Amino acid sequence: MLKIGFVGLGLIGGSLAKSIRRHYPEAIINAFDINSTTLTQAHSEGVINAMLTDISDFVLYFQNCDYIFLCTPVESFKNFLPELKKVLTDHTILTDVGSVKACVHEEIKQFSLNQHFIGGHPMAGSEKSGYEYSSDTLIENAFFILTPTREISLERLTAYSTFVQSLGAVSLELSPEEHDRVVAAVSHLPHIIAASLVNLVSQKDQHGYMRNVAAGGFKDTTRIASSNSNMWQNICISNQKALLEMLDLFIENLNITRNQLANGNEEALHAFFENAKNYRDSLPHTS
C-alpha cells in the first residue's frame, strides 16, 4: 500500500493528492499545510487521511513514506528539509513541484539529500491558486518534468516516472539547468509579457475605453496576468539568470520587429506572423 506525504496543499499539491486518491484509493495520504481550513476540506472530502499542523508532526506521520511531495513556495523549502531529513528512509523518494529547479537542487545538496531527491514539475496550472481550485484531472496528459540528482539510481527514477505516468501525466527527464531555461521561455517570460501588456494598457487607459472594449484577443493573451503576484515575484527571482537571458532575447527580437514596422517592411512582417502561426499550430495538444 502506498504511503504518501504532502507538504502544502495548494493548487498543484491538492491536484496531485486528488489524482493519487482517484488512481490509488487505498493509499495513505497525510498532509501538512499552514491553512487549517484547507486541511479540513481535504480531510472531509476523503482526499487525505491525516492533517498535520506542525512540522514536528512529520516524525509521526511521514515515517516510511514512499513519496514525500514538497508543494510549498521554493523559498520556503529550507524550513522543512531538516525535519524531513529525519523521516527519509532508503526507499523514500523526496520530490517537489516547483517551477524552478537549479536553486532547489542546491538546497537539497546543502542538506545532503541528493540520494533521496528527484525534482518534479507538472506543466499544468491555472491563473487561480489554492486548494479550492485543485482538480484530480489537472495533470492528465500534461508533461511532468523530472530532474533527478546524479545520486538517484535508474531503478528509483524509473519507479517514479512510472508512478507519474500512472496518474495520466507524461514524464520527461531534464537537467535542472535545462529545465530552468525551458520554463523561462515557455512559462516565466509569458507571465512578464502578459503583466507588462496589462500594465501598459492600464497606464494609457485614461477614460476606461480600453478596458471596456477589450475583447477575446486581449483577454486570452493576458489571462495569466491574473496569477498570484507574490508567487510570480518569487519565481522570477529564483530563476533570474535564465529569465534575464530570455527577456533580453525577447527585447532584441521586439526591436527587430519594431524596425520592420517603422520601415514598412511588409514582407518581413508577413514572415513574422507566418512563422509564429506555423510554430503555434504545431504545438502538441497535451491538455
Side-chain angles (χ1 to χ4, degrees), residues 64-66 87-93 115-116 152-153 156:
N64 298 312
C65 278
D66 297 286
V87 301
L88 297 177
T89 62
D90 289 342
H91 78 278
T92 304
I93 291 177
Q115 70 274 25
H116 297 283
I152 286 290
S153 68
R156 302 186 81 192

Side-chain angles (χ1 to χ4, degrees), residues 3 13 36 52 63 80 115 118 143 185 196 213 217 233 251 254:
K3 183 177 181 181
S36 60
L52 287 64
Q63 288 281 1
F80 304 106
Q115 70 274 25
I118 300 175
F143 278 101
S196 297
V213 304
Q233 170 201 328
I251 293 170
L254 202 59

Side-chain angles (χ1 to χ4, degrees), residues 32-84:
F32 165 89
D33 199 283
I34 60 174
N35 189 328
S36 60
T37 301
T38 290
L39 291 175
T40 300
Q41 182 179 348
H43 188 264
S44 67
E45 293 173 350
V47 175
I48 63 174
N49 298 89
M51 302 181 291
L52 287 64
T53 57
D54 192 284
I55 61 174
S56 62
D57 295 332
F58 290 1
V59 174
L60 179 61
Y61 291 99
F62 284 174
Q63 288 281 1
N64 298 312
C65 278
D66 297 286
Y67 299 98
I68 296 178
F69 287 87
L70 274 166
C71 304
T72 66
V74 170
E75 67 274 8
S76 67
F77 279 11
K78 58 188 173 189
N79 298 331
F80 304 106
L81 294 179
E83 290 300 315
L84 288 175

Side-chain angles (χ1 to χ4, degrees), residues 216-234:
F218 181 81
K219 292 178 180 178
D220 289 346
T221 302
T222 61
R223 174 185 58 83
I224 53 177
S226 293
S227 299
N228 184 284
S229 54
N230 289 331
M231 179 181 73
W232 279 99
Q233 170 201 328
N234 293 328

Side-chain angles (χ1 to χ4, degrees), residues 49 52 62 88 96 109 187 192 236:
N49 298 89
L52 287 64
F62 284 174
L88 297 177
D96 77 314
K109 183 178 180 180
S187 177
I192 288 181
C236 287

